[in-house]
Amino acid sequence: MLTPDAMDKGILCPRNEDVFFINDIDMGLFGQGLPQPLQERAFLSVATHTERPDEVVLPSEFLNTIDSSELPPHELKLKEGCPLMCLRNINPKVGLMNGTRLILRGAGTKVL
């Protein structure tokens, strides 16, 4: 698993495609050497909308290809025990805010 030293480090990349490439490599290496390999699980974004005549409706296929630093990727691959970083101020009173480092302990269908 991760050493405490590894949790204190971060990797900076100039482009999102570099981040995704490094994350794919890290997820492949994460958990190696354990007696039982960790299962990788993919989480997909959901795009729903209401149809109103004054709105521009974009197809979900297009929305899934948007690569922005402000949004998580359409397909997020995670393993139990992997480090995560909170991207939004969810609950600052308890410390869940932008930049907080977390460890994935479990995942449901809609909750990490």
Side-chain angles (χ1 to χ4, degrees), residues 2 17 33 38 49-50 74 92:
L2 286 175
E17 62 190 49
L38 297 173
H49 59 85
T50 57
H74 166 62

PDB file of all heavy atoms in Angstrom, residues 2 17 33 38 49-50 74 92:
ATOM      1  N   LEU A   2       0.281   2.364   0.310  1.00  0.00           N
ATOM      2  CA  LEU A   2       1.023   3.620   0.321  1.00  0.00           C
ATOM      3  C   LEU A   2       1.809   3.767   1.610  1.00  0.00           C
ATOM      4  O   LEU A   2       1.362   3.398   2.676  1.00  0.00           O
ATOM      5  CB  LEU A   2       0.057   4.795   0.220  1.00  0.00           C
ATOM      6  CG  LEU A   2      -0.566   5.039  -1.126  1.00  0.00           C
ATOM      7  CD1 LEU A   2      -1.576   6.148  -1.014  1.00  0.00           C
ATOM      8  CD2 LEU A   2       0.462   5.387  -2.151  1.00  0.00           C
ATOM      9  N   GLU A  17      -3.879  15.998 -19.980  1.00  0.00           N
ATOM     10  CA  GLU A  17      -3.572  14.698 -20.596  1.00  0.00           C
ATOM     11  C   GLU A  17      -2.370  14.046 -19.915  1.00  0.00           C
ATOM     12  O   GLU A  17      -2.315  12.823 -19.789  1.00  0.00           O
ATOM     13  CB  GLU A  17      -3.367  14.816 -22.100  1.00  0.00           C
ATOM     14  CG  GLU A  17      -2.214  15.699 -22.504  1.00  0.00           C
ATOM     15  CD  GLU A  17      -2.203  15.988 -23.992  1.00  0.00           C
ATOM     16  OE1 GLU A  17      -3.254  16.368 -24.534  1.00  0.00           O
ATOM     17  OE2 GLU A  17      -1.134  15.831 -24.602  1.00  0.00           O
ATOM     18  N   GLY A  33       2.123  -6.209  -4.997  1.00  0.00           N
ATOM     19  CA  GLY A  33       2.873  -6.776  -3.890  1.00  0.00           C
ATOM     20  C   GLY A  33       1.987  -7.211  -2.736  1.00  0.00           C
ATOM     21  O   GLY A  33       2.473  -7.758  -1.754  1.00  0.00           O
ATOM     22  N   LEU A  38      -5.782  -5.639  -5.694  1.00  0.00           N
ATOM     23  CA  LEU A  38      -6.920  -4.734  -5.535  1.00  0.00           C
ATOM     24  C   LEU A  38      -7.665  -4.617  -6.856  1.00  0.00           C
ATOM     25  O   LEU A  38      -7.059  -4.529  -7.914  1.00  0.00           O
ATOM     26  CB  LEU A  38      -6.427  -3.352  -5.095  1.00  0.00           C
ATOM     27  CG  LEU A  38      -5.723  -3.290  -3.746  1.00  0.00           C
ATOM     28  CD1 LEU A  38      -5.136  -1.902  -3.527  1.00  0.00           C
ATOM     29  CD2 LEU A  38      -6.675  -3.634  -2.630  1.00  0.00           C
ATOM     30  N   HIS A  49     -30.477  16.212 -18.434  1.00  0.00           N
ATOM     31  CA  HIS A  49     -30.922  17.583 -18.632  1.00  0.00           C
ATOM     32  C   HIS A  49     -32.420  17.594 -18.835  1.00  0.00           C
ATOM     33  O   HIS A  49     -33.041  16.572 -19.131  1.00  0.00           O
ATOM     34  CB  HIS A  49     -30.221  18.232 -19.828  1.00  0.00           C
ATOM     35  CG  HIS A  49     -30.450  17.495 -21.116  1.00  0.00           C
ATOM     36  ND1 HIS A  49     -31.556  17.711 -21.885  1.00  0.00           N
ATOM     37  CD2 HIS A  49     -29.730  16.538 -21.736  1.00  0.00           C
ATOM     38  CE1 HIS A  49     -31.506  16.920 -22.946  1.00  0.00           C
ATOM     39  NE2 HIS A  49     -30.412  16.203 -22.883  1.00  0.00           N
ATOM     40  N   THR A  50     -32.997  18.750 -18.643  1.00  0.00           N
ATOM     41  CA  THR A  50     -34.413  18.933 -18.938  1.00  0.00           C
ATOM     42  C   THR A  50     -34.498  19.689 -20.250  1.00  0.00           C
ATOM     43  O   THR A  50     -33.675  20.561 -20.532  1.00  0.00           O
ATOM     44  CB  THR A  50     -35.110  19.756 -17.836  1.00  0.00           C
ATOM     45  OG1 THR A  50     -34.451  21.000 -17.710  1.00  0.00           O
ATOM     46  CG2 THR A  50     -35.070  19.016 -16.511  1.00  0.00           C
ATOM     47  N   HIS A  74     -14.686  11.969 -17.329  1.00  0.00           N
ATOM     48  CA  HIS A  74     -15.945  11.227 -17.496  1.00  0.00           C
ATOM     49  C   HIS A  74     -15.842   9.847 -16.855  1.00  0.00           C
ATOM     50  O   HIS A  74     -16.770   9.394 -16.192  1.00  0.00           O
ATOM     51  CB  HIS A  74     -16.275  11.099 -18.984  1.00  0.00           C
ATOM     52  CG  HIS A  74     -17.339  10.092 -19.285  1.00  0.00           C
ATOM     53  ND1 HIS A  74     -18.622  10.202 -18.816  1.00  0.00           N
ATOM     54  CD2 HIS A  74     -17.297   8.924 -19.983  1.00  0.00           C
ATOM     55  CE1 HIS A  74     -19.335   9.159 -19.224  1.00  0.00           C
ATOM     56  NE2 HIS A  74     -18.551   8.386 -19.928  1.00  0.00           N
ATOM     57  N   PRO A  92     -16.469  22.772   4.888  1.00  0.00           N
ATOM     58  CA  PRO A  92     -15.247  23.312   5.485  1.00  0.00           C
ATOM     59  C   PRO A  92     -15.176  23.156   7.003  1.00  0.00           C
ATOM     60  O   PRO A  92     -14.099  23.043   7.564  1.00  0.00           O
ATOM     61  CB  PRO A  92     -15.276  24.794   5.099  1.00  0.00           C
ATOM     62  CG  PRO A  92     -16.136  24.857   3.888  1.00  0.00           C
ATOM     63  CD  PRO A  92     -17.150  23.776   4.067  1.00  0.00           C
TER      64      PRO A  92
END
